[in-house]
PDB file of all heavy atoms in Angstrom:
ATOM      1  N   ARG T 385     280.083   0.301  80.793  1.00  0.00           N
ATOM      2  CA  ARG T 385     280.265  -1.006  81.439  1.00  0.00           C
ATOM      3  C   ARG T 385     279.346  -1.072  82.687  1.00  0.00           C
ATOM      4  O   ARG T 385     278.972  -0.070  83.260  1.00  0.00           O
ATOM      5  CB  ARG T 385     281.711  -1.232  81.859  1.00  0.00           C
ATOM      6  CG  ARG T 385     282.226  -0.174  82.882  1.00  0.00           C
ATOM      7  CD  ARG T 385     283.601  -0.523  83.340  1.00  0.00           C
ATOM      8  NE  ARG T 385     284.029   0.482  84.355  1.00  0.00           N
ATOM      9  CZ  ARG T 385     285.061   0.270  85.243  1.00  0.00           C
ATOM     10  NH1 ARG T 385     285.671  -0.883  85.171  1.00  0.00           N
ATOM     11  NH2 ARG T 385     285.386   1.145  86.107  1.00  0.00           N
ATOM     12  N   ASP T 386     279.027  -2.299  83.050  1.00  0.00           N
ATOM     13  CA  ASP T 386     278.343  -2.594  84.301  1.00  0.00           C
ATOM     14  C   ASP T 386     279.460  -2.957  85.299  1.00  0.00           C
ATOM     15  O   ASP T 386     280.408  -3.617  84.944  1.00  0.00           O
ATOM     16  CB  ASP T 386     277.371  -3.717  84.154  1.00  0.00           C
ATOM     17  CG  ASP T 386     276.237  -3.421  83.158  1.00  0.00           C
ATOM     18  OD1 ASP T 386     275.725  -2.252  83.215  1.00  0.00           O
ATOM     19  OD2 ASP T 386     275.911  -4.288  82.360  1.00  0.00           O
ATOM     20  N   VAL T 387     279.284  -2.580  86.515  1.00  0.00           N
ATOM     21  CA  VAL T 387     280.262  -2.858  87.557  1.00  0.00           C
ATOM     22  C   VAL T 387     279.669  -3.678  88.684  1.00  0.00           C
ATOM     23  O   VAL T 387     278.698  -3.203  89.343  1.00  0.00           O
ATOM     24  CB  VAL T 387     280.869  -1.518  88.139  1.00  0.00           C
ATOM     25  CG1 VAL T 387     281.986  -1.826  89.075  1.00  0.00           C
ATOM     26  CG2 VAL T 387     281.358  -0.589  86.971  1.00  0.00           C
ATOM     27  N   ALA T 388     280.151  -4.845  88.868  1.00  0.00           N
ATOM     28  CA  ALA T 388     279.617  -5.760  89.919  1.00  0.00           C
ATOM     29  C   ALA T 388     280.094  -5.365  91.300  1.00  0.00           C
ATOM     30  O   ALA T 388     281.039  -4.554  91.480  1.00  0.00           O
ATOM     31  CB  ALA T 388     279.992  -7.211  89.576  1.00  0.00           C
ATOM     32  N   ALA T 389     279.500  -6.027  92.341  1.00  0.00           N
ATOM     33  CA  ALA T 389     279.734  -5.616  93.687  1.00  0.00           C
ATOM     34  C   ALA T 389     281.224  -5.516  94.105  1.00  0.00           C
ATOM     35  O   ALA T 389     281.633  -4.517  94.717  1.00  0.00           O
ATOM     36  CB  ALA T 389     278.991  -6.563  94.630  1.00  0.00           C
ATOM     37  N   PRO T 390     282.026  -6.509  93.784  1.00  0.00           N
ATOM     38  CA  PRO T 390     283.452  -6.443  94.246  1.00  0.00           C
ATOM     39  C   PRO T 390     284.152  -5.183  93.756  1.00  0.00           C
ATOM     40  O   PRO T 390     284.943  -4.535  94.491  1.00  0.00           O
ATOM     41  CB  PRO T 390     284.056  -7.741  93.707  1.00  0.00           C
ATOM     42  CG  PRO T 390     282.968  -8.658  93.520  1.00  0.00           C
ATOM     43  CD  PRO T 390     281.793  -7.811  93.133  1.00  0.00           C
ATOM     44  N   LEU T 391     283.953  -4.809  92.459  1.00  0.00           N
ATOM     45  CA  LEU T 391     284.608  -3.646  91.942  1.00  0.00           C
ATOM     46  C   LEU T 391     283.954  -2.385  92.421  1.00  0.00           C
ATOM     47  O   LEU T 391     284.602  -1.338  92.532  1.00  0.00           O
ATOM     48  CB  LEU T 391     284.674  -3.668  90.400  1.00  0.00           C
ATOM     49  CG  LEU T 391     285.623  -4.701  89.825  1.00  0.00           C
ATOM     50  CD1 LEU T 391     285.633  -4.670  88.302  1.00  0.00           C
ATOM     51  CD2 LEU T 391     287.051  -4.584  90.354  1.00  0.00           C
ATOM     52  N   VAL T 392     282.678  -2.397  92.665  1.00  0.00           N
ATOM     53  CA  VAL T 392     281.982  -1.217  93.219  1.00  0.00           C
ATOM     54  C   VAL T 392     282.595  -0.879  94.597  1.00  0.00           C
ATOM     55  O   VAL T 392     282.936   0.219  94.915  1.00  0.00           O
ATOM     56  CB  VAL T 392     280.477  -1.484  93.392  1.00  0.00           C
ATOM     57  CG1 VAL T 392     279.831  -0.308  94.222  1.00  0.00           C
ATOM     58  CG2 VAL T 392     279.800  -1.559  92.041  1.00  0.00           C
ATOM     59  N   ARG T 393     282.829  -1.963  95.387  1.00  0.00           N
ATOM     60  CA  ARG T 393     283.436  -1.736  96.687  1.00  0.00           C
ATOM     61  C   ARG T 393     284.895  -1.338  96.551  1.00  0.00           C
ATOM     62  O   ARG T 393     285.383  -0.491  97.308  1.00  0.00           O
ATOM     63  CB  ARG T 393     283.309  -3.006  97.565  1.00  0.00           C
ATOM     64  CG  ARG T 393     281.851  -3.294  97.953  1.00  0.00           C
ATOM     65  CD  ARG T 393     281.818  -4.351  99.122  1.00  0.00           C
ATOM     66  NE  ARG T 393     280.441  -4.585  99.492  1.00  0.00           N
ATOM     67  CZ  ARG T 393     279.764  -5.694  99.233  1.00  0.00           C
ATOM     68  NH1 ARG T 393     280.330  -6.627  98.489  1.00  0.00           N
ATOM     69  NH2 ARG T 393     278.482  -5.823  99.574  1.00  0.00           N
ATOM     70  N   ALA T 394     285.566  -1.894  95.546  1.00  0.00           N
ATOM     71  CA  ALA T 394     286.977  -1.525  95.361  1.00  0.00           C
ATOM     72  C   ALA T 394     287.069  -0.017  94.991  1.00  0.00           C
ATOM     73  O   ALA T 394     287.976   0.690  95.458  1.00  0.00           O
ATOM     74  CB  ALA T 394     287.620  -2.391  94.241  1.00  0.00           C
ATOM     75  N   GLU T 395     286.166   0.440  94.092  1.00  0.00           N
ATOM     76  CA  GLU T 395     286.164   1.854  93.738  1.00  0.00           C
ATOM     77  C   GLU T 395     285.799   2.723  94.937  1.00  0.00           C
ATOM     78  O   GLU T 395     286.446   3.768  95.117  1.00  0.00           O
ATOM     79  CB  GLU T 395     285.179   2.120  92.629  1.00  0.00           C
ATOM     80  CG  GLU T 395     285.182   3.550  92.157  1.00  0.00           C
ATOM     81  CD  GLU T 395     284.340   3.785  90.946  1.00  0.00           C
ATOM     82  OE1 GLU T 395     284.722   3.294  89.862  1.00  0.00           O
ATOM     83  OE2 GLU T 395     283.310   4.487  91.032  1.00  0.00           O
ATOM     84  N   ALA T 396     284.881   2.253  95.789  1.00  0.00           N
ATOM     85  CA  ALA T 396     284.523   3.014  96.947  1.00  0.00           C
ATOM     86  C   ALA T 396     285.755   3.174  97.874  1.00  0.00           C
ATOM     87  O   ALA T 396     286.017   4.222  98.491  1.00  0.00           O
ATOM     88  CB  ALA T 396     283.396   2.370  97.729  1.00  0.00           C
ATOM     89  N   ARG T 397     286.582   2.076  98.017  1.00  0.00           N
ATOM     90  CA  ARG T 397     287.749   2.173  98.820  1.00  0.00           C
ATOM     91  C   ARG T 397     288.806   3.096  98.258  1.00  0.00           C
ATOM     92  O   ARG T 397     289.417   3.884  98.979  1.00  0.00           O
ATOM     93  CB  ARG T 397     288.409   0.770  99.009  1.00  0.00           C
ATOM     94  CG  ARG T 397     287.611  -0.179  99.915  1.00  0.00           C
ATOM     95  CD  ARG T 397     288.421  -1.439 100.227  1.00  0.00           C
ATOM     96  NE  ARG T 397     288.699  -2.290  99.096  1.00  0.00           N
ATOM     97  CZ  ARG T 397     287.877  -3.314  98.684  1.00  0.00           C
ATOM     98  NH1 ARG T 397     286.741  -3.520  99.338  1.00  0.00           N
ATOM     99  NH2 ARG T 397     288.162  -4.061  97.636  1.00  0.00           N
ATOM    100  N   MET T 398     288.911   3.106  96.901  1.00  0.00           N
ATOM    101  CA  MET T 398     289.823   4.062  96.256  1.00  0.00           C
ATOM    102  C   MET T 398     289.391   5.492  96.507  1.00  0.00           C
ATOM    103  O   MET T 398     290.230   6.325  96.852  1.00  0.00           O
ATOM    104  CB  MET T 398     289.841   3.797  94.730  1.00  0.00           C
ATOM    105  CG  MET T 398     290.609   2.547  94.330  1.00  0.00           C
ATOM    106  SD  MET T 398     290.618   2.354  92.544  1.00  0.00           S
ATOM    107  CE  MET T 398     291.613   3.789  92.048  1.00  0.00           C
ATOM    108  N   ILE T 399     288.117   5.731  96.314  1.00  0.00           N
ATOM    109  CA  ILE T 399     287.575   7.069  96.574  1.00  0.00           C
ATOM    110  C   ILE T 399     287.805   7.519  97.993  1.00  0.00           C
ATOM    111  O   ILE T 399     288.146   8.682  98.247  1.00  0.00           O
ATOM    112  CB  ILE T 399     286.077   7.142  96.187  1.00  0.00           C
ATOM    113  CG1 ILE T 399     286.007   7.090  94.632  1.00  0.00           C
ATOM    114  CG2 ILE T 399     285.445   8.410  96.681  1.00  0.00           C
ATOM    115  CD1 ILE T 399     284.575   6.937  94.095  1.00  0.00           C
TER     116      ILE T 399
END
Side-chain angles (χ1 to χ4, degrees):
R385 62 175 183 161
D386 299 316
V387 185
L391 289 183
V392 170
R393 291 196 179 104
E395 181 172 294
R397 288 193 293 270
M398 288 182 64
I399 288 173

